[in-house]
């Protein structure tokens, strides 16, 4: 009898420890997924696994990312606007000798304080010219994936170099296998082999659905009814990613990790569409009914699909509270029972309002981005926009400025889009989320107030751009591999 009581006591203690352990955190980031490229916004898209996770969690209908890749990834991992991390000027191109500031504390570094195992499976894109910039030197125990931005999905090459890694080893054996499949397999393996005595932080930044449009035929054929070939391929890529996410979710359940897991999903920016950037008709994402596209400061470039799924913590609902990508940093730390070590974050802890639908978002102001482009457009003020409450002021945005319905609607006809340089625009996003009525002249005092607030940020904007491209980083200098050792 004594032995039985001791056994029951041990079981009780074990259960209390398990209950007290911080939740597993799974952050999944899609690349270039449009607002209209998921099934809860578009019936033509097949994303049943994402739809189930969103429907059983908190769907975030006002989630904002940066307008392009590198800045969003830096904002997620530092909790800072790109203007405060040095990443505001856009993507880090392959030959740019630059990386995310190594003095900044990253999310996985913070989570290690709570004994998290930290893994990244997928795309890095925060610098690689020196190994000090690599993910395994920025808080991650392991990295499986690639270091650059866009590349081919099957042979994992960009230009003349191969870029696929397993920690510090080149993963040549993965040449020929679709990256979505590889990332799913590795994520499932990590989950299946995870030591449940430690919480897990698993960051899965998919390559999907960035260019080039490549997908196994079985997924393309699911959309045979869609006439536009690029759109057919693109949506196949979306569904392939959805299947991978479904398998990752099943792995969490099989490993008994699901109930105490928090799953976050969002896109790194709005979808590229309608020939923007110019001269590339293969961009096939869709942001309908939002205006604009990737790399613009319109809602279509910055308002992204997103949700948080946490069966043990959250009641399913659709939230219109607004949330910025920087907010994930303090929010996920709060979920883990931690406070940020830095007190100068731009992100705000949203965990309380995510749990309680009666609470408003703590966020009332947001910088979309501020930067001076180094590409060839006419001079003028920086590209910049701010939101305060329901009002959005655009000092300047350049690029696609229209609205485009999806090809499957039957109303879309592809036309190469002229670059539009639009300045001084004011919108009430509560009444005009599609940004159709410019209120700049009708509300001059309000416009002046928002412009003045934006100018406070502009005054502190760091000088200069990323360094010029350095041919020392050419993969020909490293046996055909995109590698470190040249900055």
């Amino acid at each position: 009898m004594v032995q039985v009581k001791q056994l029951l006591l041990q079981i009780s203690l074990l259960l209390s420890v398990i209950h007290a352990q911080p939740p597993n955190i799974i952050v999944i980031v899609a690349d270039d997924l449009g607002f209209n490229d998921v099934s809860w916004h578009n019936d033509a898209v097949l994303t049943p696994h994402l739809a189930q996770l969103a429907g059983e969690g908190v769907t975030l209908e006002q989630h904002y990312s940066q307008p392009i890749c590198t800045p969003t990834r830096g904002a997620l991992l530092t909790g800072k606007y790109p203007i405060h991390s040095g990443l505001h000027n856009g993507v880090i191109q392959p030959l740019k000798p630059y990386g995310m500031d190594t003095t900044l504390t990253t999310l996985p570094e913070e989570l290690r304080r709570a004994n998290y195992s930290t893994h990244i499976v997928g795309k890095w894109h925060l610098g690689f010219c020196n190994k000090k910039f690599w993910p395994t030197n920025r808080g991650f125990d392991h990295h499986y994936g690639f270091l650059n931005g866009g590349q081919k999905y099957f042979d994992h090459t960009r230009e003349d170099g191969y870029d696929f890694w397993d920690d510090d080893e080149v993963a040549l054996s993965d040449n020929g296998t679709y990256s979505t499949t590889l990332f799913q397999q590795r994520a499932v393996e990590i989950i299946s082999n995870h030591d449940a005595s430690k919480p897990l932080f698993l960051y899965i930044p998919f390559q999907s659905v960035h260019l080039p449009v490549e997908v196994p035929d079985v997924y393309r054929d699911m959309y045979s009814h869609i006439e536009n070939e690029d759109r057919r391929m693109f949506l196949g890529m979306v569904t392939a990613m959805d299947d991978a996410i479904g398998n990752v979710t099943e792995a969490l359940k099989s490993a008994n990790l699901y109930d105490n897991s928090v799953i976050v999903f969002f896109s790194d920016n709005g979808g590229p569409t309608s020939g923007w950037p110019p001269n590339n008709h293969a961009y096939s994402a869709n942001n309908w009914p939002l205006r604009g596209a990737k790399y613009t400061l319109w809602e279509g470039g910055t308002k992204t699909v997103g949700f948080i799924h946490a069966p043990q913590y959250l009641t399913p609902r659709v939230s219109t509270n607004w949330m910025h990508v920087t907010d994930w940093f303090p929010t996920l730390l709060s979920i883990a029972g931690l406070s940020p070590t830095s007190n100068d974050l731009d992100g705000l802890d949203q965990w309380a309002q995510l749990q309680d639908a009666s609470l408003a978002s703590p966020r009332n102001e947001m910088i979309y981005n501020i930067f001076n482009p180094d590409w060839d457009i006419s001079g003028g003020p920086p590209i910049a926009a701010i939101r305060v409450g329901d009002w959005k002021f655009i000092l300047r945005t350049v690029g696609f400025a229209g609205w485009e319905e999806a090809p499957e609607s039957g109303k879309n006809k592809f036309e190469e889009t002229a670059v539009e340089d639009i300045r001084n625009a004011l919108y009430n996003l509560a009444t005009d989320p599609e940004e159709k009525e410019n209120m700049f002249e009708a509300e001059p005092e309000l416009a002046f107030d928002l412009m003045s607030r934006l100018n406070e940020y502009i005054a502190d904007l760091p000088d200069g751009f990323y360094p010029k491209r350095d041919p020392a980083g050419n993969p020909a200098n490293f046996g055909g591999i995109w590698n470190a050792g040249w900055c």
Side-chain angles (χ1 to χ4, degrees), residues 19 60 67 77 99 128-129 146 159 178 212 238-239 241 245 265 268 289 384-385 397 421 484:
H19 182 73
L60 304 169
L77 294 180
F128 72 94
C129 63
F146 60 107
E159 299 165 20
Y178 194 58
V238 173
T239 300
M241 179 178 64
I245 292 168
F265 175 84
D268 65 342
T397 187
D421 187 340

Side-chain angles (χ1 to χ4, degrees), residues 38-334:
V38 291
S39 57
W40 60 95
H41 291 162
N42 182 349
D43 290 341
V45 183
L46 304 175
T47 54
H49 305 294
L50 284 168
Q52 182 172 357
L53 290 171
E56 295 174 356
V58 178
T59 304
L60 304 169
E61 287 297 279
Q62 288 206 76
H63 181 276
Y64 287 87
S65 300
Q66 295 301 127
I68 201 164
C69 175
T70 293
T72 289
R73 293 159 204 276
L76 167 68
L77 294 180
T78 67
K80 290 177 176 287
Y81 290 139
I83 58 172
H84 295 148
S85 67
L87 296 173
H88 54 294
N89 284 324
V91 299
I92 299 176
Q93 297 289 348
L95 293 177
K96 298 275 188 175
Y98 191 79
M100 185 170 66
D101 185 349
T102 56
T103 67
L104 299 175
T105 302
T106 66
L107 179 59
E109 287 173 330
E110 294 275 38
L111 289 172
R112 279 178 168 175
R113 294 192 285 122
N115 201 34
Y116 273 80
S117 296
T118 58
H119 297 260
I120 171 174
V121 176
K123 172 178 173 177
W124 178 237
H125 211 188
L126 289 169
F128 72 94
C129 63
N130 187 307
K131 283 198 174 182
K132 69 180 181 180
F133 297 129
W134 288 30
T136 48
N137 290 315
R138 302 310 315 273
F140 288 101
D141 299 334
H142 296 287
H143 171 229
Y144 176 76
F146 60 107
L147 299 166
N148 268 300
Q151 61 180 28
K152 295 179 181 178
Y153 283 77
F154 288 95
D155 69 17
H156 316 305
T157 61
R158 178 177 180 135
E159 299 165 20
D160 296 321
Y162 185 83
D163 182 10
F164 214 85
W165 296 82
D166 196 343
D167 291 336
D168 288 347
E169 300 294 324
V170 182
L172 290 172
S173 63
D174 292 325
N175 188 348
T177 304
Y178 194 58
S179 70
T180 305
T181 302
L182 291 170
F183 297 149
Q184 167 206 293
Q185 291 172 345
R186 178 55 63 92
V188 168
E189 179 183 324
I190 290 168
I191 292 166
S192 300
N193 295 330
H194 178 64
D195 178 0
S197 68
K198 298 179 67 174
L200 171 66
F201 174 52
L202 177 56
Y203 172 41
I204 313 176
F206 278 98
Q207 180 176 357
S208 304
V209 285
H210 195 284
L211 275 180
V213 282
E214 295 180 345
V215 71
D217 290 346
V218 63
Y219 289 104
R220 180 198 61 192
D221 293 346
M222 292 179 181
Y223 295 94
S224 58
H225 58 287
I226 294 177
E227 183 177 341
N228 183 292
E229 172 66 12
D230 289 328
R231 181 66 172 169
R232 186 159 60 241
M233 294 278 286
F234 178 88
L235 291 182
M237 295 163 70
V238 173
T239 300
M241 179 178 64
D242 179 79
D243 272 357
I245 292 168
N247 288 330
V248 169
T249 305
E250 286 304 311
L252 288 169
K253 293 177 179 178
S254 297
N256 295 318
L257 299 177
Y258 169 79
D259 287 341
N260 194 34
S261 288
V262 173
I263 302 172
V264 171
F265 175 84
F266 61 90
S267 179
D268 65 342
N269 44 250
T273 185
S274 192
W276 171 257
N279 304 316
N280 202 328
H281 71 278
Y283 283 123
S284 303
N286 190 261
N287 302 306
W288 180 262
L290 303 179
R291 185 177 189 177
K294 173 183 177 177
Y295 210 19
T296 74
L297 301 185
W298 300 109
E299 296 295 281
T302 56
K303 187 175 179 181
T304 52
V305 290
F307 64 75
I308 177 170
H309 176 98
Q312 190 167 295
Y313 303 93
L314 299 176
T315 301
R317 62 188 172 93
V318 175
S319 173
T320 56
N321 284 344
W322 49 305
M323 188 165 181
H324 187 260
V325 61
T326 55
D327 297 339
W328 288 118
F329 187 99
T331 300
L332 294 175
L333 291 184
S334 183

Side-chain angles (χ1 to χ4, degrees), residues 22-39:
N24 307 298
I25 297 173
I26 319 298
V27 176
I28 303 171
V29 177
D31 197 328
D32 285 3
L33 185 71
F35 193 77
N36 197 35
D37 293 334
V38 291
S39 57

Side-chain angles (χ1 to χ4, degrees), residues 411-482:
K411 301 176 183 179
N412 171 287
K413 292 184 178 180
F414 174 80
E415 295 180 5
E416 196 72 21
T417 304
V419 175
E420 296 188 62
D421 187 340
I422 293 180
R423 309 179 187 192
N424 295 329
L426 180 70
Y427 299 95
N428 185 334
L429 296 178
T431 59
D432 182 23
E434 298 167 13
E435 299 172 291
K436 292 185 175 180
E437 185 177 4
N438 184 354
M439 303 290 290
F440 184 78
E441 294 185 359
E443 297 282 354
E445 292 185 7
L446 183 58
F448 177 80
D449 288 344
L450 268 66
M451 182 186 298
S452 298
R453 179 60 177 150
L454 183 58
N455 281 333
E456 293 178 22
Y457 286 95
I458 293 173
D460 294 329
L461 187 68
D463 293 331
F465 304 102
Y466 295 145
K468 292 184 180 298
R469 297 187 183 193
D470 187 346
N474 193 304
N477 298 327
F478 300 92
I481 306 296
W482 288 106

Side-chain angles (χ1 to χ4, degrees), residues 276 371-383 396-399 419-421 423:
W276 171 257
F371 72 106
N372 291 295
D374 61 355
W375 28 279
D376 184 22
I377 59 173
S378 58
I383 292 173
R396 184 187 188 192
T397 187
V398 176
V419 175
E420 296 188 62
D421 187 340
R423 309 179 187 192

